[in-house]
Structures are given as structure tokens and as C-alpha cells.
Amino acid sequence: MKLTCVATPGSGGDYHTPASHLLEVEGVRLLLDCPVDLSALAAFAPVPLGADCGDAGDLIRAVPYYWSPAAAAAAKAGGVDAVLVSSATGMLGLPFLTRLPSFANTKVYVTELAARIGKLMMGELMEMHSEFVRYYGLDTDGSPKWMQGEKLHKLLSSLQNIVIEDEGMDLAPLMPLYSAPNLEECMRKTQTVKYGEEVCFNGMLMLKASSSGLELGNCVWSIKGPRASITYLPSTLFVSAHALDCDYNSLKENDIILFSDFSSLNVMDENNENLGENAMVCDDSLLRADGVDEDEYVQCLSKNDDIAEEIERISFICSCISDAIKSGGSVLIPIGRLGVILLILEHISETLLSSNMKVPIFMISDAAEKIISFTNAVPEWLCKPRQEKLFSREEEALFGHVELLKEGRLFLFPHLYSKGLLAAWKEPCIVFCLDWSLRHSTAVHLLRRWHADKRNLLVLEQGVDTELTLKPFTPAAIQVLECSFLSGIKVRKVNPLLSVLKPKLVLFPEDLKSRCPSKEDAPWSYLYYSKGKTIEIPNTREDFEVGLPTDVAFGLQPRQLDKAIAVARLRAKLHLSKGQYVLVAPKDQSDESNRQLLHWGAVDAGRLLSALQEKGIECAFPADDDDGPAGCERSILITSPGEALVKMAPEKTVIYCDDESTTRLIYDALSSVCNGI
């Protein structure tokens, strides 16, 4: 097996740009997630809207290109057999691949819900991108001018702290956006899977998706072959406020864990280092304890402390929103995470109600209404408390946005120029949009309107280069609140998780080695990987199991060798089916029914000599070979029809012969004096 990390999370927010890997197992090449890093858009200036468009400086004024190192690496590798997608954001780069001829037979596996949300997000990305195309026009003469000469150096300078790390001057990951036909072709190659459903790829691998707990439809993949079982563990939560909790128990029997959860370890734990001495107690206390029961690890993973911290952060955000509204300002929230939006809507509703403030809340997105509607249509992906609420007889809404819609306080519109928006528009207001890059459509228009007023508030996810992102809107007086949200496993829960799953090997990012020290005397070993380097994964199994169908097993006729061993003869073919080797008996076995294939027992030299002579073979004991005591080695010298030598010892019999016909006669004679099957 081989592993290559082809992309690490972008600096513009780890949830929006998950990591990506190439994994070779059982002769199959898999691409694990294919995202697009939208933080590269910060190098491009938004479409000017008038004379007061701001100073874009060195930003590129052209139709933007999109950064997808995963798609570029897969294309450079010559193609992949299948793509496993763990989230809607992890499929945004797929059309870059599926539009290439070398990917005509590539299969894409993704959960039903992630596929539906991902398609909507890709459609919205193309819709927002069309505004650039309408303004600048398409590049019809090959590479655009800004990719040459001085403009290229300016681009590299702008991107240096965003996406370009060790790639140097390689701009292959920077691609023109796909088209609607590319998107449709991509979706035709997509095979959706239900929650917990097992699917078989090419008879070799069994693939299973289970909830990761981070967002609705996000999943952890289990990959099982005849000689390896692997867990692909992207950003994961064990207790979620809206999505179904991660089912880590289903991953216990897997040999290898590919830990791809960079996000929370890079951002969240840095923010929580000052929370107090108890921040690491769950991990440290368990590491020091002797004979810790597995239940204690499970209790550690099942604590809702992460959710409590998340709710505390969202409550703080809501208080800042309330302060901005009280001062007469409006609030722009360009966050593309469904779960975060749902929680903010619930808590801002309570905050506004307690303060007796009545302000409209707008969600302006072409995909927003459809994505929001999924919350009532996918009960299998909801957390247990919300599932119980859904199936109870109470009329309480699953999420807070339902009541806001009924009360006319939340408005959903696809565009700023949508019919009815002007009639409903009132400031101050709160606006959600899905474009956290601040380079497209709604976010750009509203920032043009609000950037110079210090009463207004912009809520950004931490990781965005705020100075570069707001450069086209300078001078900017608008307040900026940078927030971090739960994006995966916390450092203190990594070792308890491994203690429950008990893998044989953990594939872990080199960059996080110092931040998450390995457990002393752990029964598993670590193999560290880094971006752009291919590592060999050692075999964790010395052998593998072979299945035997029931009808074939009952047809065997074993012969007892001793009290502990019985041997049966079987003619069969080795098949690979559903990730497991199986012995399948042919329909016609008559030609082999009387042939003895296995012999055992000590060979009596005298009986063998007589049997050989009965076959017409000229043979004798050598002159110096007398009939010694039992247990001594004896030999038979054969002179005709061909020369041969048979040496017999208590533990083995060896035949030396170059003539095929003579060998066959010796074999028949030997069979007549031995037991056989």
C-alpha cells in the first residue's frame, strides 16, 4: 500500500478546504476527497461596481481561476479508479477531474445528502462566477495574460501566504472553473450511498460510510479488502448539536486509521490553550493511568464538552450581533457551514427576543432554501435529540429557523435582485450568505454598501487573511469579528479514540506530531506523512482468510490423520468477491474424482522395491545399503527405463529423476504403498 497527501487544508478555513490523499490499496488507486481552495480567490479583485470600487492594489482584475491541488495531483498521476468523498465541500473539485478523458471510467462514491448539497454548492459557485464572466468576458486565447510576466510574479506574491507553499512556480492546480455540462457529467459518475450502506468496488474493496458528526451528510469511510481494513477519518465529532454523532464503534475492527483531521488540531486547540488546567485532563489522566477500563475512554469521547464550548462561542457571536443592531448597524455573516448557520439562527432568535429587537434576517443564496429544507428530510443524519423531537407528537420545530420563517422574521432569497426582496428589505438587518471568500455576488455588494460604517459588523471564520480579503473595500471602518467553530477531533480525545478502536497502525500528519504525542506502550504504531511525499504502508496482516461456501464445505469428505488433524481434498478456483477471497468449486469435478493428490505415512523400503518391480522398473538397493535398524535412511537405485534415485528417511522421501515417464511410474508405485486422498 502507498499513501500520498496531495492537499492540506487551505488557510481560508479548514472546514471549507479539507485535506486530500491518494491511497493505493490492493492494486486500486483511490482519491480521498477532491476540494477546491476558495481562499485563492483573495488574489482576485471583485467585479468593480462603480467609481468608488476601492483600491484593489496588486489584485488581479480578471475572471478568477480556482485552486485544486487534489485534482491536479490526480490528473498528474494518470487517473484514479475511484474517489471517496467525505463531505459536500470535498466534492467541489470533482468536475475538474471528470471532464478529463482519463477519468471516463472513474467512479465517485458519496453519501446521498452530501451529493445533493455538493451539487447545489457547485451550481451556486458557477452562478456567482458568471458575474465575472459577464463583466470581463471569457478567455478565448489560451492562458490569460495575468499568468505571464510581471502579473504572474504579482500573483505569486499575493498567493504566497494563501495556497502556494512548496509548489514554487507550478500553477497546474490553478484552473478555470468548470461548466454546467461538466457538473452534469460529474453527477452522472457519482454513486450515492445511504447511511451505513456497504457497497462493493470492483469485487475487491467493501466501502461503507457512517456519520462523522460534523455536518449533515459528512461521513467517515471504512475501506475493507482481503488483506487490509482502513478507516479514513476526516474531521469528526463524537457529540454533535445537529448531526448524527460519529459511530466510532463500527470502526473497531479496522487495522489502519488514516487520520486526516487537521482542522481542529490546528485552530481550535490553539484557541483553547488558556481555558484552564482541565483542558487536557481527559487525555493526560488516561495516559498516566494503569489498567484503564475501556468504559472510561468511551465516557471521555461521549462528553458534550465540545458542544458546550461551541454554544458558548455562538452565544458570544450573538451578543456581538445584538450590540451592532442596537447601535443601528447591520450584520453580514458570510459563512458556508449549514450546522453553524442553524445554531446561530436558533440563538440569535432567542437573543433578539430577550432584547425585544425586531430586525429582519435574510439568507441570500440560490441554494439556501433547498439546503435548509434538507433538515426535515433526512432523519437518519440528525442527532438523537432531534430525531426524538421529529418522531414525537409534540409540534415543536426541529430547528429554530422553522419558527423564524413562520413568524416572518427570516426571509430566503436566491439573489439580491430577487422579486420581493426590496419590499422586505429594512435596515438594520442580519444577512447570511454562503460566500466566505468575499469575492462573489451578495457579499461584495453588501460590503460596498456597509464597509465604511463602523456600526456595521462582519462575522468571518478564523483563518481568512482579513487584510487581503478586505483590501478592495478600503478604507474599511466596519467591525470584523473572527470566529472559530468546531471542525473536528480535539487533541485531548485522539489517544482515547485510538485506545477504543485499537488499530495496528495510525497514519498521522507529520506537522501535528508534536501537538499530539503518542501514548506510551501503545499497541499500535505510528507512520507520519507530509504533503507531497509518498510513503509505503507496511502490511498489518501476515496472511488472509479464504471463505468456503456452505454447499462446498458440506461436500467435503475429510480423512482423519490423527486426533487433531483431518484432511479433505478439494478442487476449486480462488475468486475475489466483496473484498474477500472465496474458494469456488467448478461444476464438473468428475475428471479428478479418482485421482489421489495427497499421500502420507512412512514408506516401507521393501514394499516400495516390490511395487517398482511390478511396474517393470529395473531397480535394487545399492550394494553398500544394508537393512539396518529402524529409522535409518535407505535408498533405491533405478536403472531402467530411466535413471533415478529414491531416498527414504523417517521424516521424508525424496525422488531424484529427470525422465518424465519414469517419474510417473515411480509416482504410481509410491501411491500404491501409501495412504492417499
Side-chain angles (χ1 to χ4, degrees):
M1 290 184 288
K2 295 180 181 179
L3 175 72
T4 307
C5 177
V6 296
T8 53
S11 62
D14 298 315
Y15 166 77
H16 298 285
T17 314
S20 180
H21 310 267
L22 281 173
L23 175 66
E24 294 184 33
V25 54
E26 301 291 350
V28 175
R29 182 183 292 159
L30 302 175
L31 176 63
L32 307 179
D33 281 319
C34 188
V36 171
D37 190 344
L38 294 179
S39 61
L41 290 176
F44 294 84
V47 174
L49 302 176
D52 57 342
C53 61
D55 179 19
D58 293 334
L59 300 186
I60 302 168
R61 296 175 181 268
V63 174
Y65 273 38
Y66 294 80
W67 188 261
S68 183
K76 186 177 180 180
V80 294
D81 299 296
V83 183
L84 304 187
V85 180
S86 65
S87 64
T89 55
M91 68 183 295
L92 294 186
L94 283 176
F96 290 129
L97 289 183
T98 54
R99 68 185 179 184
L100 300 177
S102 57
F103 288 80
N105 299 318
T106 299
K107 286 189 175 181
V108 179
Y109 295 93
V110 60
T111 65
E112 287 181 329
L113 183 55
R116 292 162 69 185
I117 295 177
K119 182 179 180 181
L120 290 171
M121 292 177 66
M122 287 187 282
E124 180 148 13
L125 181 61
M126 289 189 300
E127 175 64 27
M128 293 188 294
H129 179 82
S130 66
E131 188 171 344
F132 283 95
V133 176
R134 286 193 295 269
Y135 187 86
Y136 292 111
L138 289 172
D139 295 311
T140 57
D141 301 326
S143 299
K145 294 181 180 180
W146 56 262
M147 294 188 74
Q148 305 169 9
E150 186 64 26
K151 284 286 185 181
L152 177 61
H153 292 288
K154 288 184 179 181
L155 170 68
L156 295 175
S157 176
S158 299
L159 294 180
Q160 187 173 4
N161 297 323
I162 304 175
V163 292
I164 293 187
E165 298 168 1
D166 55 342
E167 287 86 352
M169 297 290 288
D170 183 13
L171 293 180
L174 204 59
M175 309 175 188
L177 190 62
Y178 37 78
S179 63
N182 296 148
L183 173 55
E184 293 303 321
E185 177 66 19
C186 171
M187 298 311 297
R188 281 195 292 271
K189 294 180 179 180
T190 298
Q191 179 174 336
T192 59
V193 297
K194 300 180 185 298
Y195 170 74
E197 176 187 3
E198 273 194 323
V199 295
C200 182
F201 173 73
N202 236 15
M204 302 183 68
L205 300 175
M206 294 302 295
L207 310 173
K208 182 180 178 181
S210 55
S211 177
S212 72
L214 184 62
E215 287 286 346
L216 298 176
N218 286 23
C219 71
V220 173
W221 282 101
S222 180
I223 308 166
K224 292 188 178 182
R227 291 176 292 185
S229 56
I230 305 168
T231 295
Y232 172 47
L233 193 72
S235 296
T236 299
L237 290 182
F238 304 113
V239 181
S240 174
H242 70 291
L244 185 64
D245 299 342
C246 175
D247 180 18
Y248 52 83
N249 287 313
S250 64
L251 310 173
K252 281 186 176 181
E253 297 181 358
N254 291 348
D255 302 323
I256 301 172
I257 293 180
L258 170 53
F259 192 92
S260 185
D261 192 340
F262 294 77
S263 50
S264 58
L265 297 180
N266 278 327
V267 179
M268 293 296 298
D269 290 302
E270 292 177 1
N271 296 336
N272 294 327
E273 284 178 354
N274 298 322
L275 290 179
E277 296 181 356
N278 293 329
M280 295 292 288
V281 67
C282 184
D283 185 53
D284 290 345
S285 61
L286 293 178
L287 286 177
R288 291 193 299 267
D290 296 326
V292 176
D293 189 86
E294 184 175 310
D295 289 343
E296 294 187 45
Y297 294 121
V298 172
Q299 290 175 10
C300 173
L301 299 179
S302 301
K303 285 183 178 179
N304 64 350
D305 50 345
D306 294 342
I307 294 299
E309 293 174 11
E310 181 86 327
I311 298 301
E312 185 177 346
R313 278 186 290 270
I314 289 178
S315 297
F316 175 73
I317 294 171
C318 291
S319 67
C320 294
I321 294 174
S322 176
D323 292 341
I325 297 295
K326 288 178 181 178
S327 68
S330 293
V331 182
L332 177 60
I333 309 176
I335 293 176
R337 295 183 53 175
L338 177 60
V340 171
I341 291 173
L342 293 174
L343 292 178
I344 292 179
L345 282 173
E346 283 191 338
H347 287 271
I348 194 61
S349 174
E350 297 172 2
T351 301
L352 295 178
L353 185 63
S354 63
S355 302
N356 196 27
M357 290 187 293
K358 295 182 180 181
V359 295
I361 303 173
F362 298 95
M363 187 171 292
I364 304 175
S365 164
D366 189 46
E369 186 172 1
K370 294 178 181 177
I371 292 177
I372 286 290
S373 67
F374 291 152
T375 57
N376 290 318
V378 286
E380 70 273 20
W381 289 98
L382 296 176
C383 63
K384 294 299 182 182
R386 296 192 191 269
Q387 283 186 8
E388 294 171 359
K389 188 184 295 186
L390 176 65
F391 296 115
S392 67
R393 295 185 178 181
E394 301 176 5
E395 296 184 358
E396 186 180 359
L398 279 180
F399 293 95
H401 69 271
V402 177
E403 291 298 329
L404 290 174
L405 286 169
K406 287 181 179 179
E407 296 169 3
R409 292 192 289 156
L410 174 62
F411 302 89
L412 306 179
F413 291 101
H415 309 286
L416 272 175
Y417 51 83
S418 299
K419 184 179 179 180
L421 177 59
L422 287 179
W425 188 264
K426 181 182 177 182
E427 296 185 21
C429 61
I430 302 170
V431 179
F432 289 86
C433 64
L434 300 184
D435 177 31
W436 56 269
S437 70
L438 302 185
R439 288 296 182 264
H440 292 112
S441 193
T442 301
V444 172
H445 289 269
L446 292 180
L447 276 176
R448 296 289 186 206
R449 181 179 178 86
W450 293 342
H451 73 278
D453 192 337
K454 64 181 181 180
R455 297 175 301 171
N456 297 325
L457 175 66
L458 173 64
V459 181
L460 293 177
E461 287 201 52
Q462 194 170 49
V464 176
D465 187 333
T466 306
E467 182 179 352
L468 182 60
T469 301
L470 292 178
K471 193 171 185 179
F473 310 104
T474 54
I478 189 173
Q479 302 176 67
V480 179
L481 176 63
E482 293 188 60
C483 309
S484 60
F485 301 100
L486 276 176
S487 297
I489 300 173
K490 304 291 282 295
V491 167
R492 60 177 179 262
K493 293 191 177 182
V494 172
N495 280 312
L497 173 64
L498 298 179
S499 298
V500 171
L501 298 185
K502 296 181 174 63
K504 297 177 182 177
L505 178 64
V506 180
L507 305 177
F508 205 78
E510 180 76 35
D511 293 345
L512 303 181
K513 182 177 179 179
S514 60
R515 298 214 56 208
C516 190
S518 58
K519 181 180 178 181
E520 295 181 6
D521 302 323
W524 55 84
S525 57
Y526 283 87
L527 190 60
Y528 297 96
Y529 63 85
S530 56
K531 182 180 177 182
K533 296 182 179 179
T534 299
I535 60 173
E536 297 279 347
I537 304 175
N539 292 327
T540 56
R541 300 180 188 175
E542 295 297 330
D543 50 21
F544 56 89
E545 296 181 353
V546 178
L548 192 63
T550 305
D551 57 336
V552 177
F554 280 117
L556 298 178
Q557 298 178 354
R559 295 188 183 184
Q560 201 75 31
L561 299 186
D562 54 37
K563 292 182 179 181
I565 301 175
V567 178
R569 180 176 146 204
L570 171 67
R571 177 172 173 255
K573 293 182 178 180
L574 187 64
H575 283 202
L576 184 58
S577 176
K578 295 184 177 180
Q580 183 180 19
Y581 286 115
V582 180
L583 287 173
V584 180
K587 295 181 180 179
D588 182 15
Q589 300 192 59
S590 58
D591 59 329
E592 299 287 343
S593 58
N594 296 319
R595 185 181 176 191
Q596 294 181 342
L597 301 179
L598 178 67
H599 300 89
W600 76 91
V603 178
D604 182 89
R607 288 184 61 196
L608 179 58
L609 182 67
S610 299
L612 290 170
Q613 291 172 345
E614 288 177 2
K615 298 288 183 182
I617 298 175
E618 296 181 9
C619 57
F621 294 120
D624 58 349
D625 186 353
D626 56 351
D627 189 4
C632 293
E633 181 181 285
R634 302 203 65 187
S635 300
I636 296 177
L637 182 63
I638 299 172
T639 56
S640 178
E643 294 184 352
L645 177 66
V646 181
K647 287 187 175 183
M648 293 156 288
E651 70 280 359
K652 64 180 179 179
T653 297
V654 183
I655 302 171
Y656 301 91
C657 183
D658 292 331
D659 183 68
E660 186 175 342
S661 60
T662 303
T663 301
R664 188 178 299 108
L665 291 173
I666 297 172
Y667 175 83
D668 292 340
L670 190 63
S671 301
S672 66
V673 299
C674 294
N675 296 320
I677 296 178

